[in-house]
């Protein structure tokens, strides 16, 4: 058995920060309050550093298979490790799309061969694969595109949506933009080359219609449902009374970018759902603080800079974010807008509970030793050229942040160090999901262990 002692850390526990030492044995947390002289094979000096649970990003697009000129599971997982992300859940809109169990298993095999961090893959809904979705097991959940997709991944007919909510049991998440509203707006603004019109095409009304429609279905069928990338303050009215079924997330770009940034950043911040207003930024951050929104994710969706530089509307929507997401929120901690415990809740514990990820999300005895050492005093400027994502750019290029991850551990094994780089030989593990534990609202004390 291998023992690692994280000595003299500021340990980020669910409800407090404790100056303590954490003992890890064979990839599990053995003691969150071990003595500084506890016997160990390896001692990590954490003086002046915080020890956090590893970040879980529950919405990423890592482009493999089929679009690997933009990203692949190796480059994306390196970006994750550098950013303190120890587990990811990847969306089904690859080529081919993962709309069958066999398709999901094929992606899991690719990740087993390539990923430095832990992984899970959603199964995608189509208008006619409810029977396949009903058979699915050992996956985080079902992804529905209610808008912002094409081909068989677009599900916007009411009958098909009702069938998915009624005939399946896995938790569901959805991209909520009303397709008819988006198309009508696009027709009205046909011929535009102004990227700012993207936020007029994918407007507040499109988001509100789809979010209301899907949350109504969740309540009707008492089916666990997660609203992906909430982009407007107006949508919060549909999340204010979540019952035991509804959770929601916000992404970094909807917290920190708004329509006033289009002149400066152009298509770099072209996203679906679109960027909204500064007032929406404020309301969404307040919704995190009030727990109306539970999760922060990235919707990491890279394209090459060449692709992003094409004139709107031919430019694609999407941006890379996994390696800067934790630093962006640690910077908010150093500014006094939130606490490091809140960041750990939004980025670690909550996604583990939403998706039933066994043994994840907390520093607690028996949990997996997915850990991140962070330095709240470290300041660094984000640079395109230094990004680990294959796309080699960030919408936060030239932004200076204070508070950075400096080492990342997966199952007790160091996979990234800011000085020494990556452990290229290590591979993460397939995540375990136990949906019988009831999701976020049923697990206030954490998702628990095996």
């Amino acid at each position: 058995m291998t023992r690692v002692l994280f000595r003299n850390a500021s340990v980020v526990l669910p409800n407090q920060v404790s100056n303590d030492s954490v003992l890890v044995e064979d990839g599990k947390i053995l003691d969150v309050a071990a003595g500084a002289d506890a016997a160990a094979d390896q001692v990590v000096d954490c003086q002046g550093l915080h020890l956090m649970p590893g970040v879980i990003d529950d919405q990423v697009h890592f482009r493999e298979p089929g679009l690997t000129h933009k990203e692949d599971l190796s480059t994306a997982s390196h970006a994750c490790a550098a950013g303190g992300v120890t587990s990811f859940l990847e969306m089904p809109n690859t080529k081919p799309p993962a709309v069958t169990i066999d398709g999901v298993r094929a992606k899991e095999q690719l990740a087993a061969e390539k990923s430095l961090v832990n992984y899970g893959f959603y199964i995608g809904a189509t208008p006619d694969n409810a029977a396949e979705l009903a058979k699915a097991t050992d996956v985080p959940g079902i992804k529905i595109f209610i808008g912002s997709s094409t081909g068989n991944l677009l599900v916007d007919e009411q009958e098909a949506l009702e069938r998915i909510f009624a005939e399946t049991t896995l938790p569901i998440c959805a991209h909520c933009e009303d397709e008819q509203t988006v198309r009508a707006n696009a027709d009205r603004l046909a011929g535009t080359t102004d990227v700012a019109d993207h936020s007029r095409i994918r407007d507040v009304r499109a988001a509100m219609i789809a979010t209301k429609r899907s949350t109504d279905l969740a309540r009707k069928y008492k089916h666990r449902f997660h609203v992906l990338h909430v982009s407007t303050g107006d949508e919060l009215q549909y999340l204010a009374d979540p019952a035991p079924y509804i959770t929601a997330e916000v992404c970094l770009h909807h917290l920190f970018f708004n329509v006033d940034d289009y002149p400066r950043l152009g298509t770099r911040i072209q996203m679906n759902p679109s960027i909204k207003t500064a007032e929406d930024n404020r309301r969404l951050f307040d919704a995190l603080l009030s727990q109306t929104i539970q999760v922060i994710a990235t919707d990491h969706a890279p394209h090459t800079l060449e692709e992003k530089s094409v004139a709107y509307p031919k430019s694609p929507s999407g941006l890379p974010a996994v390696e800067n997401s934790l630093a962006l929120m640690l910077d908010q901690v150093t500014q006094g807008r939130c606490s490091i415990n809140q960041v750990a809740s939004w980025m670690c514990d909550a996604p583990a509970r939403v998706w039933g990820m066994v043994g994840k999300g907390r520093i607690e005895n028996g949990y997996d030793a997915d850990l991140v050492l962070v330095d709240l005093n470290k300041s660094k400027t984000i640079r395109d050229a230094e990004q680990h994502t294959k796309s080699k750019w960030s919408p936060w290029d030239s932004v200076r942040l204070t508070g950075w991850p400096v080492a990342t551990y997966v199952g007790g094994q160091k996979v990234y160090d800011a000085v020494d780089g990556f452990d290229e030989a290590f591979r993460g593990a397939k995540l375990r999901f136990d949906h019988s534990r009831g999701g976020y609202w049923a697990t206030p004390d954490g998702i628990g262990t095996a």
Side-chain angles (χ1 to χ4, degrees):
M1 292 187 291
T2 301
R3 285 190 169 195
V4 181
L5 180 67
F6 294 87
R7 178 183 286 165
N8 297 328
S10 295
V11 184
V12 182
L13 301 172
N15 298 310
Q16 63 176 325
V17 175
S18 175
N19 294 320
D20 234 317
S21 298
V22 174
L23 186 62
V24 169
E25 183 176 85
D26 282 354
K28 304 284 186 182
I29 298 170
L30 184 65
D31 190 351
V32 299
D37 58 352
D41 303 291
Q42 178 186 355
V43 175
V44 180
D45 181 11
C46 305
Q47 193 70 42
L49 303 176
H50 283 72
L51 185 66
M52 284 184 60
V55 169
I56 298 168
D57 195 334
D58 79 348
Q59 188 187 179
V60 300
H61 301 265
F62 284 171
R63 307 303 194 194
E64 188 169 5
L67 296 164
T68 53
H69 70 285
K70 304 174 191 278
E71 190 78 281
D72 61 53
L73 288 164
S74 176
T75 56
S77 66
H78 280 69
C80 283
V85 177
T86 55
S87 299
F88 66 80
L89 302 182
E90 209 258 357
M91 290 298 168
N93 56 328
T94 45
K95 291 186 177 181
V99 295
T100 66
I101 289 298
D102 287 346
V104 172
R105 297 293 176 249
K107 292 173 75 171
E108 290 171 350
Q109 182 58 44
L110 287 170
E113 297 167 1
K114 297 184 175 186
S115 181
L116 292 183
V117 300
N118 304 319
Y119 51 87
F121 297 92
Y122 296 95
I123 186 169
T126 74
D128 55 9
N129 76 334
E132 187 76 13
L133 301 178
K135 294 188 303 182
T137 59
D138 199 25
V139 298
I142 297 165
K143 168 66 181 290
I144 306 176
F145 288 88
I146 309 176
S148 190
S149 192
T150 57
N152 69 344
L153 278 174
L154 177 62
V155 185
D156 63 346
E157 296 296 331
Q158 188 67 20
E159 181 181 353
L161 287 171
E162 295 258 3
R163 190 162 58 248
I164 293 166
F165 274 87
E167 297 178 8
T168 66
T169 58
L170 285 173
I172 294 170
C173 61
H175 180 120
C176 294
E177 286 184 293
D178 182 63
E179 188 70 11
Q180 290 185 356
T181 301
V182 170
R183 289 177 181 176
N185 289 338
D187 288 344
R188 179 170 53 85
L189 292 167
T192 183
T193 57
D194 182 358
V195 68
D197 282 334
H198 194 69
S199 292
R200 300 180 183 100
I201 292 170
R202 295 183 173 275
D203 62 6
V204 172
R205 185 169 175 268
M208 288 183 65
I209 290 171
T211 298
K212 182 180 188 303
R213 185 184 187 190
S214 54
T215 53
D216 283 351
L217 284 168
R219 291 184 173 94
K220 176 180 179 179
Y221 291 102
K222 299 182 179 180
H223 199 128
R224 279 169 49 201
F225 179 71
H226 188 63
V227 185
L228 297 171
H229 43 43
V230 177
S231 64
T232 78
D234 288 351
E235 289 169 271
L236 299 174
Q237 63 186 289
Y238 307 127
L239 309 176
D241 180 22
Y245 312 114
I246 297 169
T247 51
E249 74 184 32
V250 65
C251 294
L252 285 305
H253 46 275
H254 291 129
L255 287 176
F256 299 130
F257 295 131
N258 58 67
V259 293
D260 297 332
D261 294 309
Y262 278 127
R264 178 172 60 93
L265 293 169
T267 57
R268 282 198 177 207
I269 55 169
Q270 179 187 329
M271 287 294 298
N272 301 337
S274 66
I275 303 302
K276 302 302 194 299
T277 68
E279 176 64 9
D280 289 302
N281 295 155
R282 184 193 65 77
R283 292 176 69 186
L284 292 171
F285 204 102
D286 285 348
L288 281 169
L289 296 173
S290 69
Q291 299 183 347
T292 304
I293 291 177
Q294 296 79 31
V295 173
I296 292 176
T298 65
D299 196 11
H300 176 95
H303 303 278
T304 67
L305 267 180
E306 181 181 7
E307 291 168 334
K308 289 293 278 186
S309 299
V310 173
Y312 185 82
K314 294 184 178 180
S315 50
S317 295
L319 56 79
V322 290
E323 61 198 283
N324 300 311
S325 60
L326 178 56
L328 285 161
M329 292 310 301
L330 293 176
D331 187 70
Q332 298 299 298
V333 173
T334 65
Q335 292 183 40
R337 292 191 73 192
C338 57
S339 71
I340 196 168
N341 297 91
Q342 288 172 309
V343 171
S345 173
W346 300 328
M347 301 185 79
C348 313
D349 183 55
R353 289 160 56 193
V354 167
W355 301 110
M357 298 166 65
V358 179
K360 303 296 185 184
R362 293 188 174 203
I363 296 180
E364 196 164 292
N365 289 351
Y367 276 60
D368 296 337
D370 297 341
L371 304 166
V372 182
L373 276 172
V374 302
D375 185 349
L376 289 180
N377 295 311
K378 180 178 179 177
S379 292
K380 188 176 76 168
T381 300
I382 298 172
R383 302 290 185 194
D384 280 353
E386 297 172 2
Q387 301 302 289
H388 295 285
T389 174
K390 185 181 283 189
S391 61
K392 282 292 181 184
W393 65 274
S394 168
W396 289 278
D397 177 61
S398 301
V399 173
R400 191 165 185 82
L401 303 175
T402 300
W404 282 89
V406 295
T408 303
Y409 295 78
V410 177
Q413 176 71 36
K414 184 166 67 173
V415 298
Y416 171 77
D417 184 283
V419 175
D420 299 328
F422 301 95
D423 180 351
E424 298 290 356
F426 186 82
R427 293 295 178 266
K430 178 182 173 180
L431 295 160
R432 294 178 297 143
F433 305 97
D434 185 352
H435 299 302
S436 70
R437 303 192 188 195
Y440 180 85
W441 298 109
T443 53
D445 296 323
I447 193 64
T449 58

